[in-house]
Amino acid sequence: MSTALVWFRQDLRCSDNPAFAAACNHHQFVVPLYIQDNQTLLLGEAQKWWIHHSLLALKQKLRQHGLTLVLRRGVATEIITQLVREHSIDAVYWNRCYEPAAIACDFMIKESLEKKEIQVFTSNASLLNEPWEIKNKSGDYYKVFTPYWKHCLKQHHHEQPICIQGNPHGVDVYGDQLSDWFLLPKKINWAAEFGQHWQPGEDGAQMRLDAFISDRLRGYKEARNVPAKSATSTLSPHLHFGEISPWKIRTAIDFAMLDKNGDLASADRFLSEIGWREFSYHLLYHFPALPYANFKPQFDAFPWKNDAQHIESWKRGLTGYPIVDAGMRELWRTGYMHNRVRMIVASFLTKHLLVDWRIGADWFLTTLLDADLANNSASWQWVAGSGADAAPYFRIFNPIIQSEKFDPTGEYIRRWVPELANIASKWIHQPSRAPKDELGLIIGRDYPAPIVEHEQARKLALMQYRLIRNKTQAV
Ligand SMILES: Cc1cc2nc3c(=O)[nH]c(=O)nc-3n(C[C@H](O)[C@H](O)[C@H](O)COP(=O)(O)OP(=O)(O)OC[C@H]3O[C@@H](n4cnc5c(N)ncnc54)[C@H](O)[C@@H]3O)c2cc1C
């Protein structure tokens, strides 16, 4: 008779979960464990809502296997060591995480358990390729996406989902009540609308994938940039919490492409977005300072202004640039923002307002349901120009042109900025330019005047950039 402990983290699913399946297949007793350990894995404020519901869903799934999810709070090393001792556990299983603090923690736990002759089995449940598997010709890691992804596509080892054949019994282990973790907002319920948009858990993830493939994969390549259309998969929070694996997604896309009328260009484009996720993990693994240090050190000398009032206006969606304000309000209400708009608001913050990208990245980590240390850090550095394979700093998005191009009728703006809902389409992208009697509202009272003027802001940003470029060239 042997007992295994399965430590769930960013793999909150029972199906296609290598650690869980292996434990069920090789042991008579299984203890499924989730630890709330604030020191090792990032959990943003909005994500507390997600994890609450995702744990409820996982609990239910485990119950179908006759198992009870054990919840504990505290330091993972101590909790696991204590459970192993108290319940005569023979083996511990987990799926690997890739945030630097989690890697360090895993290493410590593994070493300490192996010293006690407890077997440890770890697996990959969340990436197509683990960060150390892909190397360039010089044996180094990739810093540019296109060759990285070409290399990945050549790796043809498709991981097969492991079937659960065993039927282990549960063990009576003391655990916390989820409600005692107080993960849901109390005084002000800022998450009130989240439930209308999301269903955390593996069933919710599967439904999103199915709906995406049947309704939106065709045409994704073009429509993915239009924020008013629901044209993307919105799988990001499910992927972050491991409620679905990228293997499952890739297999489903490949299967859909067996149809001779399949939209191959869109399928390739979609898979390359999954590729950007992989690339971000690759970068974080090889450059663990990615969340706080400029990948390009020349940006260390950048004279960020960090004006407190500007930052506040940006967070609240009160910049006077309708597309920026729509994005920031979508984020607050739904815990999500469309990718095109993320690029626009991030560019506006770093280049128009000269605010350090780390301040924007922090706000995203607090408010996004898909907040992900790898994707968020890599994306912010990409937009700011300080990252690997980044958009050049001198390419500054014009928020009005972006708005006209990607939200031509203003449908997205009207949805999230209700005070502009009824203004004429020709003024929707820059209402402050409209003659007073044509607008039906007063700029500065009903909707803010622009907090900076685009052309001036652009010139100032370019001047600051030239300064750091010249400084580094002079060194
Ligand atoms: C400033 C900024 C911050 C961002 N922060 C995050 C974050 O914290 N968490 C996060 O998951 N994504 C982040 N992204 C990337 C991207 O915006 C989201 O992954 C995407 O909008 C999620 O929507 P979707 O699932 O419908 O995407 P789809 O278009 O359906 O793409 C499928 C999947 O590919 C991955 N993906 C797509 N685009 C990217 C990208 N540019 N980089 C990395 N992975 C990508 C996501 O896992 C996504 O679910 C950020 C982008 C920017 C510009």
Side-chain angles (χ1 to χ4, degrees):
M1 292 291 194
S2 65
T3 306
L5 185 146
V6 185
W7 182 24
F8 285 89
R9 292 181 294 175
Q10 287 177 326
D11 52 346
L12 303 181
R13 62 181 190 266
C14 286
S15 69
D16 187 25
N17 181 329
F20 178 61
C24 289
N25 291 347
H26 295 111
H27 300 271
Q28 287 76 28
F29 295 93
V30 165
V31 180
L33 170 72
Y34 180 86
I35 303 172
Q36 197 194 20
D37 177 355
N38 296 334
Q39 284 159 17
T40 49
L41 276 177
L42 168 92
L43 189 62
E45 276 306 303
Q47 287 182 319
K48 290 183 182 165
W49 176 90
W50 189 284
I51 199 90
H52 176 95
H53 293 286
S54 189
L55 288 174
L56 284 179
L58 179 66
K59 227 171 144 181
Q60 226 174 27
K61 286 279 164 196
L62 286 164
R63 219 174 278 142
Q64 290 167 11
H65 291 273
L67 302 171
T68 306
L69 179 64
V70 176
L71 299 174
R72 286 289 180 89
R73 243 183 320 187
V75 180
T77 335
E78 289 167 13
I79 292 170
I80 292 176
T81 317
Q82 184 201 2
L83 287 178
V84 163
R85 194 179 55 238
E86 287 175 0
H87 297 277
S88 309
I89 282 162
D90 305 282
V92 178
Y93 291 74
W94 68 73
N95 292 311
R96 291 186 279 276
C97 289
Y98 305 91
E99 293 183 10
I103 293 176
C105 168
D106 287 7
F107 183 77
M108 255 170 52
I109 300 182
K110 191 164 189 268
E111 200 178 48
S112 132
L113 290 173
E114 284 176 345
K115 267 192 200 146
K116 296 184 179 83
E117 297 188 357
I118 308 294
Q119 288 183 299
V120 175
F121 298 96
T122 73
S123 314
N124 167 20
S126 59
L127 292 173
L128 298 174
N129 296 288
E130 293 192 280
W132 50 86
E133 288 172 354
I134 306 291
K135 297 227 166 87
N136 65 20
K137 281 187 187 136
S138 347
D140 200 358
Y141 71 102
Y142 280 97
K143 289 142 196 119
V144 179
F145 174 72
T146 305
Y148 166 82
W149 186 234
K150 274 191 186 155
H151 186 151
C152 291
L153 289 173
K154 281 193 213 134
Q155 307 274 102
H156 263 312
H157 60 273
H158 240 244
E159 209 114 307
Q160 294 302 321
I162 311 170
C163 298
I164 301 176
Q165 281 144 355
N167 196 11
H169 301 284
V171 179
D172 198 12
V173 176
Y174 165 79
D176 295 346
Q177 291 299 318
L178 185 58
S179 53
D180 291 343
W181 285 5
F182 302 108
L183 293 167
L184 300 178
K186 276 186 100 184
K187 272 191 190 145
I188 303 169
N189 188 7
W190 44 263
E193 286 181 41
F194 288 3
Q196 294 166 25
H197 300 277
W198 304 101
Q199 183 191 331
E202 61 180 291
D203 289 346
Q206 186 63 50
M207 278 188 319
R208 291 254 155 171
L209 176 63
D210 294 344
F212 173 67
I213 290 179
S214 70
D215 308 337
R216 302 194 295 278
L217 179 55
R218 169 168 295 284
Y220 170 84
K221 189 166 182 252
E222 280 75 37
R224 63 181 284 275
N225 270 313
V226 182
K229 292 190 184 167
S230 302
T232 63
S233 70
T234 52
L235 278 165
S236 50
H238 298 287
L239 270 164
H240 173 78
F241 287 101
E243 296 167 356
I244 194 162
S245 77
W247 286 108
K248 200 172 205 180
I249 296 174
R250 187 172 172 176
T251 309
I253 299 289
D254 287 350
F255 187 73
M257 286 308 108
L258 292 177
D259 178 345
K260 66 177 178 0
N261 297 317
D263 178 355
L264 270 175
S266 284
D268 285 351
R269 184 63 217 223
F270 177 70
L271 286 178
S272 85
E273 295 307 320
I274 301 282
W276 274 101
R277 174 175 182 267
E278 300 271 317
F279 185 54
S280 303
Y281 276 82
H282 181 76
L283 289 176
L284 179 64
Y285 180 78
H286 292 284
F287 183 70
L290 192 70
Y292 54 87
N294 293 304
F295 190 85
K296 287 186 187 144
Q298 78 205 66
F299 272 80
D300 292 352
F302 197 91
W304 301 111
K305 256 173 65 184
N306 298 342
D307 179 298
Q309 248 180 351
H310 281 172
I311 296 171
E312 205 49 28
S313 304
W314 178 81
K315 286 183 179 174
R316 310 233 159 272
L318 294 171
T319 66
Y321 283 86
I323 191 76
V324 174
D325 295 341
M328 298 309 292
R329 296 189 202 182
E330 178 189 22
L331 173 61
W332 185 253
R333 299 257 300 274
T334 67
Y336 177 85
M337 192 195 300
H338 186 275
N339 180 60
R340 168 60 49 183
V341 191
R342 290 187 204 203
M343 292 197 284
I344 298 171
V345 304
S347 171
F348 185 82
L349 185 77
T350 52
K351 295 179 182 177
H352 283 75
L353 302 183
L354 297 178
V355 171
D356 192 328
W357 62 266
R358 284 160 280 224
I359 294 176
D362 265 1
W363 182 247
F364 270 30
L365 291 179
T366 304
T367 49
L368 276 173
L369 287 169
D370 66 23
D372 184 282
L373 203 63
N375 287 354
N376 194 51
S377 315
S379 299
W380 271 94
Q381 294 226 39
W382 185 89
V383 176
S386 62
D389 198 9
Y393 187 86
F394 55 79
R395 202 175 292 152
I396 297 180
F397 274 180
N398 178 332
I400 297 150
I401 293 177
Q402 288 286 314
S403 183
E404 288 166 348
K405 192 167 169 196
F406 296 109
D407 189 29
T409 62
E411 188 185 338
Y412 176 76
I413 293 172
R414 292 175 209 281
R415 189 181 303 157
W416 298 112
V417 188
E419 61 269 39
L420 300 181
N422 297 318
I423 71 171
S425 292
K426 75 181 210 207
W427 301 120
I428 191 78
H429 308 287
Q430 43 182 161
S432 60
R433 290 281 171 92
K436 274 187 192 140
D437 50 343
E438 275 193 41
L439 215 50
L441 57 85
I442 297 175
I443 294 294
R445 186 194 72 184
D446 304 321
Y447 180 71
I451 56 172
V452 287
E453 199 276 317
H454 165 70
E455 203 41 48
Q456 274 175 12
R458 195 181 82 87
K459 281 189 187 143
L460 181 61
L462 288 177
M463 200 174 80
Q464 307 292 40
Y465 174 65
R466 267 183 227 113
L467 281 180
I468 63 160
R469 204 184 51 178
N470 294 342
K471 250 190 221 164
T472 37
Q473 277 170 354
V475 173

